Amino acid sequence: MKKINLALLALFVTVFAAIACSKSEDEPQVPPQPENPAVPTSSIELRLLCYNVHKCVGLDDKYSPERIAKIIKDNDVEAVALQELDSVTMRLPVDVLGELAEQAGMYPTFGPAIDFQGGKYGIGVLTKQKPISSRRVPLPCRSEPRLLLIVELQDYYFCSTHLSLHEADRVTSIGIIISELSKLNKPVIIAGDFNDSRNSNAMKQLASEFYVFPKGGNANTFPADKPKSEIDFMALYTGKGAKATVKNHTVLNCPVESDHRPIFAKVLVEW
């Protein structure tokens, strides 16, 4: 009896093995899929503004932070890069960035570049979200000191800058900017008055490591009343795999509030 059972068991094992083998040969074999580190795992959509505000003094010589704050509020932005800000100087004995922050309902981060007329003069950032940290990086300029202002937020860094009027300084500054921003561990967006054209040596150098947001319609930003030059830009650092989908990139129709026109961007950042 035991011999019969063992014989039947051996027969069943042989039959099942043949069926399994046949089924395995008939079905296509799917190789294991390798992990792709380039596939984004996180994303954030941002509304951003870049504006050289000329101390909030318009082409009509009127000091009006209210006009600038209205532009910021009307576009409902998460962050604004600002250039040419006085802080308690003789010509403007007020904290210009502080007034803008109060009226726009945002957090200010000031980057003083020089001592000027008893106060400070420089660049700044306004953010809806309270910054985690900020840092100033000096940039070369043979006429006056310039800055890169780095502001850390929860999911990204937002930076403001205002480059030199001299080409050699701008090229050197771009090298410093790339070196500094490549060290950061979150997506990085830089915005500012680069004092240079899109096809210049400095901007081509920036584009080697950054995605410079493309032109949207008439991209000229200066002078504000009759813009002839595109010198204000936004860009995303792509050296660590972040990418940007720009959904809107527009020069706003603001012909008198400053000597520059502001640029607005709505962008999806993935990393």
Side-chain angles (χ1 to χ4, degrees), residues 144-241:
E144 65 182 40
R146 303 282 176 144
L147 277 182
L148 168 67
L149 177 61
I150 303 171
V151 177
E152 181 185 6
L153 300 160
Q154 181 176 339
D155 295 314
Y156 64 105
Y157 288 88
F158 190 67
C159 306
S160 178
T161 196
H162 187 188
L163 299 192
S164 170
L165 294 172
H166 305 281
E167 182 181 10
D169 294 338
R170 293 193 295 271
V171 171
T172 302
S173 294
I174 293 298
I176 295 171
I177 287 169
I178 291 173
S179 176
E180 290 295 327
L181 300 189
S182 67
K183 301 172 186 176
L184 303 180
N185 59 355
K186 301 175 188 178
V188 188
I189 293 172
I190 185 171
D193 177 355
F194 286 79
N195 271 319
D196 222 337
S197 66
R198 185 176 288 268
N199 294 320
S200 65
N201 290 331
M203 291 305 297
K204 287 179 180 178
Q205 183 183 354
L206 185 75
S208 69
E209 296 286 342
F210 284 75
Y211 172 59
V212 181
F213 294 2
K215 289 185 177 183
N218 182 0
N220 295 340
T221 57
F222 181 83
D225 54 347
K226 296 179 180 179
K228 298 178 181 179
S229 302
E230 183 192 20
I231 58 176
D232 301 273
F233 299 94
M234 296 188 199
L236 173 79
Y237 177 66
T238 57
K240 293 184 178 178

